[in-house]
Amino acid sequence: MDALRANLPPLSLHVPEPKFRPGDEADFSDVDVPPAGSARRPDTADKADSFHELAYTLVRVLDENGQAVGPWDPKLDPETLRKMLRSMALTRAFDERMFRAQRQGKTSFYMKSTGEEAVSVAAAMAMAFDDMCFPSYRQQGILITRGYPLVDMMNQIYSNSADPLQGRQLPIMYSAKDHGFFSISGNLTTQYPQAVGWAMASAAKGDTRIAATWCGDGSTAEGDFHSAMIFATVYKAPVILNVVNNQWAISSFSGFAGAEATTFAARAIGYGIAGLRVDGNDALAVYAATQWAAERARTNQGPTLIEHFTYRTEGHSTSDDPTAYRSAGEPTAWPLGDPIRRLRDHLIALGEWDEERQAAMDRECAEDVKRAQKDAEKNGILGHGMHQPFETMFEGVFEEIPWHLKEQQQQMIAERKAAGI
Amino acid sequence: MNMIQAINSAMDVMMERDPNMVVMGEDVGYFGGVFRATAGLQAKYGKTRAFDTPITEIGIIGVAIGMGAYGLRPVPEIQFADYIYPALDQLVSEAARLRYRSNGDFTAPITVRSPYGGGIFGGQTHSQSPEGIFTHVSGIKTVIPSTPYDAKGLLIAAIEDNDPVLFLEPKRIYNGPFDGHYDRPARNWTAHPASEVPAGHYRVELGKAATVRAGEAVTILCYGTMVHVVASTVEELGIDAEIIDLRTLVPLDIDAIEASVKKTGRCMIVHEATRTSGFGAELTALVQERCFYHLEAPIERVTGFDTPYPHSLEWAYFPGPVRIGEALKKILKD
């Protein structure tokens, strides 16, 4: 037996490696970018197995000249396009300011969504206001699009006296039920089966609302992703399952989530779920795909998985330094460009926008954010002591405070009193 | 009723009263559950209220949480408590924390039913008692009945409760009480007074223990199957023990425990679960803190050993009459 084995070639273990590391020149010329307008748009009543090719291409609407082309053009009116542009710009301005607030020590933590604004903003615009979103931590654009007050987002980030979550949650883990925004958890992809459950409940009650959820490319590796896909397909849940493929999960490139072998959209095929792969930096493509998936869901055609092909332009979080693991040139070399610039160019090409109005809007967004920040800081910033009475930490664990928590609460009050604080 | 029928009746009563209540899990729909706990519910309430699920515990609990967030009142079943671990993240990180982390914006009013415990030759993966894992988690309630009457009343209370509840059902006593004498013929519930179960709605409040037997010599804290094993052993040995069936582990009925131990001056804890960091350790600490000056002997723990649950060696492992008897002699010696 041993003699036989000696004649066999040794096995080798494949450990994926990203194409570029710090110091390398980034070159994405091998990324396949199909021309805008080239993907077909099936009827929303078509069976999922009749358009498998859409999981391997890219649904794109905006071409290199800023024109909207092809069957996926949602043909939005200029007013809607400007609203979309503004929500994206506001999201970026918000991110810039809060990132700086963290660097200034006003809060402990922040996560930007730079370069991914279309994924959340355009999707939120294509859904109804009362459809329930189960986001990850990088879809702040949904809250901004739905008009959630910037100042309340900041109050949460500062854990201050007006924090809607009473200082219990890490910054950016928002919760806003009245804006259809489910409580964000630090545990990745747990929201995926929860969104499916919400959608199943809506269907079971004969409601007309649908659910949508988002996770990153890295998070698709979690078991929750598989469980959600199984439940979604078995019960034809009215849910949109978004995978935001921004190429990176902290320092791990998407190859560690299986991207070397296939697309994330292609995972839908094995489950019998409709799968689309979309240019995530093309707001109109994201809008059109979401609208299409929403229509499928609303007509009981079941779930749709949308892979948003995009790029995480900035670090993972304020605790992350991307220059330690990837080429500094990647963000600019990324072939799908910047989602805000591309939508701006489109509006300009339509004659519905110009550089001056863009500059004015950018100033206005910066002013809005600055004003909100000023208001939020009136309620306190992190590091200026506790902004909530410390005994509130015992509330909300259960509906009513049980004896053991009351006892611990009393103990804490007594300890602090004895210590003179 | 036996315990299965009582549990079934609780769900029937609640599904009748609350159109938002749904039951779900592996084999719970058409088939009515591998232990028959959900028998007849799908036929009566339809497939959208009592349905079979794929075999994924993550999915079952995750989906139930989402349904709860929508406004339903899901009662998911995990077929054996030994198989609850894949769902641990959803239970610990999500269900238990949802109210707290969202400041009441969202809640998880789910009741997770799961058969647990040994004594059935279930081997390693059909015998475990994982309650200590969950009592350690803030934000989740843990309930364990020991009779048909309590099973129905506690399950109704659990379903009506707006917090997530883990409802562990001692499968060894589904069909009849068990005194630990595995070599004697099995009994059914018929002769037991707690098999008298009202057909309609009633509650056994969560957080309240039951004094199964009043006594003066020693307080024995137990729950589930062990209530019957302890009661029978005490009877056989003629010891005047006070037996307290905790019924709810979180929140615990500390007043009942404290009053009893202060009266008897001795405390023994019996559970099937493994010893180290088991719920008995928490009980020991609480009794020690609160009844220190009343204690006349060290607190005794009779528990499963710190090994995986063995198959052929089950009756050496199980905290049966011999082990409980020896511990009683020891604690009463001084």
Side-chain angles (χ1 to χ4, degrees), chain A residues 225-277:
Chain A
F225 181 83
H226 164 70
S227 291
M229 295 291 276
I230 279 288
F231 265 84
T233 189
V234 166
Y235 303 95
K236 288 193 176 189
V239 63
I240 306 173
L241 305 149
N242 295 285
V243 174
V244 184
N245 176 8
N246 67 11
Q247 316 301 322
W248 290 95
I250 308 186
S251 75
S252 303
F253 87 114
S254 57
F256 284 99
E260 283 184 341
T262 186
T263 69
F264 293 100
R267 305 233 173 127
I269 294 170
Y271 294 95
I273 289 176
L276 293 180
R277 193 158 174 269

Side-chain angles (χ1 to χ4, degrees), chain A residues 86-418:
Chain A
R86 191 177 193 286
S87 290
M88 287 164 65
L90 190 57
T91 302
R92 185 165 296 180
F94 186 90
D95 280 353
E96 290 300 329
R97 194 129 199 119
M98 289 298 99
F99 187 88
R100 207 165 343 134
Q102 192 278 338
R103 288 294 187 250
Q104 292 165 341
K106 292 175 176 178
T107 187
S108 60
F109 184 73
Y110 193 71
M111 295 176 106
K112 295 169 113 176
S113 63
T114 314
E116 301 172 38
E117 293 90 349
V119 172
S120 53
V121 169
M125 286 184 70
M127 295 177 72
F129 184 84
D130 55 358
D131 291 333
M132 183 60 86
C133 298
F134 290 75
S136 80
Y137 45 69
R138 224 184 286 282
Q139 283 81 48
Q140 50 266 55
I142 297 169
L143 276 180
I144 288 174
T145 303
R146 288 186 165 180
Y148 187 77
L150 300 181
V151 65
D152 283 334
M153 293 173 77
M154 290 173 179
N155 287 332
Q156 197 280 327
I157 290 165
Y158 288 143
S159 279
N160 63 21
S161 63
D163 175 3
L165 307 182
Q166 288 197 287
R168 291 177 188 158
Q169 265 283 41
L170 189 71
I172 75 163
M173 304 284 181
Y174 313 107
S175 176
K177 191 178 188 177
D178 57 356
H179 284 70
F181 192 93
F182 187 73
S183 160
I184 296 176
S185 170
N187 295 62
L188 298 178
T189 333
T190 49
Q191 73 277 12
Y192 245 64
Q194 292 164 3
V196 174
W198 196 98
M200 286 172 65
S202 183
K205 296 300 274 187
D207 199 342
T208 57
R209 292 177 291 164
I210 63 170
T213 185
W214 287 257
C215 78
D217 45 296
S219 301
T220 60
E222 294 282 6
D224 300 64
F225 181 83
H226 164 70
S227 291
M229 295 291 276
I230 279 288
F231 265 84
T233 189
V234 166
Y235 303 95
K236 288 193 176 189
V239 63
I240 306 173
L241 305 149
N242 295 285
V243 174
V244 184
N245 176 8
N246 67 11
Q247 316 301 322
W248 290 95
I250 308 186
S251 75
S252 303
F253 87 114
S254 57
F256 284 99
E260 283 184 341
T262 186
T263 69
F264 293 100
R267 305 233 173 127
I269 294 170
Y271 294 95
I273 289 176
L276 293 180
R277 193 158 174 269
V278 172
D279 177 348
N281 291 11
D282 177 344
L284 296 187
V286 172
Y287 184 99
T290 307
Q291 190 181 44
W292 182 86
E295 191 178 312
R296 281 182 66 84
R298 276 189 231 284
T299 52
N300 288 308
Q301 303 298 317
T304 301
L305 175 77
I306 305 176
E307 173 186 348
H308 302 269
F309 195 62
T310 181
Y311 186 82
R312 196 194 78 209
T313 305
E314 304 253 357
H316 166 70
S317 73
T318 48
S319 308
D320 179 45
D321 172 16
T323 64
Y325 51 79
R326 72 184 189 188
S327 164
E330 281 197 21
T332 41
W334 182 246
L336 297 177
D338 177 84
I340 296 181
R341 192 164 309 152
R342 285 175 66 190
L343 186 59
R344 180 200 69 181
D345 291 348
H346 174 55
L347 269 160
I348 291 173
L350 289 176
E352 293 288 346
W353 200 241
D354 53 49
E355 297 288 355
E356 291 78 58
R357 290 168 83 179
Q358 177 74 27
M361 186 191 73
D362 284 343
R363 271 196 307 277
E364 206 179 277
C365 287
E367 281 306 313
D368 284 358
V369 170
K370 211 167 135 184
R371 202 167 35 246
Q373 188 185 26
K374 226 171 147 186
D375 287 347
E377 289 182 6
K378 284 181 197 154
N379 303 317
I381 57 171
L382 193 75
H384 286 189
M386 281 182 285
H387 296 289
Q388 303 282 340
F390 61 83
E391 57 268 31
T392 61
M393 87 163 88
F394 299 94
E395 295 164 3
V397 179
F398 296 100
E399 186 173 35
E400 284 165 28
I401 308 183
W403 69 267
H404 63 286
L405 281 174
K406 268 188 204 146
E407 211 174 80
Q408 290 166 34
Q409 194 181 36
Q410 291 307 315
Q411 182 190 346
M412 189 182 181
I413 291 168
E415 281 169 359
R416 294 177 67 84
K417 205 174 158 190

Side-chain angles (χ1 to χ4, degrees), chain A residues 19-30:
Chain A
K19 274 179 276 184
F20 319 111
R21 287 297 195 185
D24 295 341
E25 194 181 333
D27 174 8
F28 288 116
S29 54
D30 65 330

